[in-house]
Amino acid sequence: MAQELHGKKIAILAADGVERVELEQPQGALHGAGATTELLSIHSGEIQARQFDLVSAGTFPVDKQVQDASVDDYDALLLPGGTVNPDQLRTNSDAVDFVKAFVATGKPVASICHGPWTLVEADVVRGHRLTSWPSVRTDLRNAGAEVVDQEVVVDGQFTTSRGPQDLPAFCPAIVEQFAKAPQPVSG
């Protein structure tokens, strides 16, 4: 069962200010299950990670700029949090368009902490049951989502969690949900 994501390619969309643990731990779980991942961002080079939004926590190399990525190349999408990261993504039309197009495919999408802000901006949460960091919940409600306070919420193609404290439940949940994606894409 350790290779349940073998052959799956996962897009991780993040920008400067990403919460390091919310990118690193899910990515590790995905790799451990046999997936490959690509880090997409709004600029090339590296993105700056943070710990608790305030402390510099190193960098991650960007594999591809989001404007050069195709939703057809990926089996699932991960949107990690951190306050600054999704705030940058939701103001970037290429990132928002990618998320909107990805959700339209019906493929699985996972988001943690402040990550759902980009889903709100893409106008794809209406009628879905989600969770997030407490300060994002009003935005989710205003965008038409049903908001709950649980460590992991799975609703159709969406898997969401509240924050870093939920990573022990979030990581296996995304592996399970991403494994349910239709056959791997070629390429």
Side-chain angles (χ1 to χ4, degrees):
M1 187 154 149
Q3 292 295 303
E4 59 264 45
L5 296 180
H6 179 74
K8 303 256 186 197
K9 187 175 178 183
I10 314 301
I12 302 173
L13 179 57
D16 292 313
V18 67
E19 186 71 24
R20 181 176 194 92
V21 69
E22 293 175 6
L23 191 160
E24 204 165 53
Q25 282 190 24
Q27 183 181 44
L30 295 169
H31 288 173
T36 59
T37 62
E38 278 193 357
L39 178 59
L40 309 180
S41 194
I42 56 178
H43 62 75
S44 60
E46 297 180 328
I47 58 170
Q48 175 66 49
R50 308 300 285 174
Q51 180 179 359
F52 308 118
D53 284 328
L54 303 173
V55 179
S56 181
T59 61
F60 289 99
V62 173
D63 294 308
K64 188 180 284 187
Q65 288 184 261
V66 70
Q67 64 264 29
D68 299 328
S70 168
V71 297
D72 297 332
D73 292 340
Y74 305 98
D75 298 292
L77 173 63
L78 172 64
L79 298 168
T83 307
V84 175
N85 160 49
D87 196 51
Q88 288 192 64
L89 293 176
R90 70 184 179 157
T91 61
N92 180 282
S93 61
D94 292 321
V96 173
D97 290 348
F98 182 86
V99 169
K100 185 178 284 202
F102 200 95
V103 170
T105 69
K107 293 186 268 191
V109 177
S111 189
I112 187 167
C113 198
H114 290 77
W117 260 343
T118 310
L119 298 173
V120 168
E121 193 65 35
D123 193 24
V124 296
V125 300
R126 187 168 315 283
H128 292 283
R129 188 171 178 259
L130 305 169
T131 194
S132 69
W133 189 256
S135 64
V136 178
R137 294 178 189 161
T138 298
D139 295 330
L140 286 168
R141 276 188 212 93
N142 289 341
E146 176 191 347
V147 179
V148 295
D149 183 10
Q150 296 173 359
E151 65 181 0
V152 176
V153 176
V154 177
D155 180 20
Q157 76 189 105
F158 295 106
T159 303
T160 53
S161 280
R162 300 171 297 194
Q165 74 279 10
D166 296 329
L167 284 165
F170 181 71
C171 291
I174 67 170
V175 168
E176 180 181 339
Q177 293 307 307
F178 289 3
K180 295 177 183 178
Q183 74 258 19
V185 294
S186 58

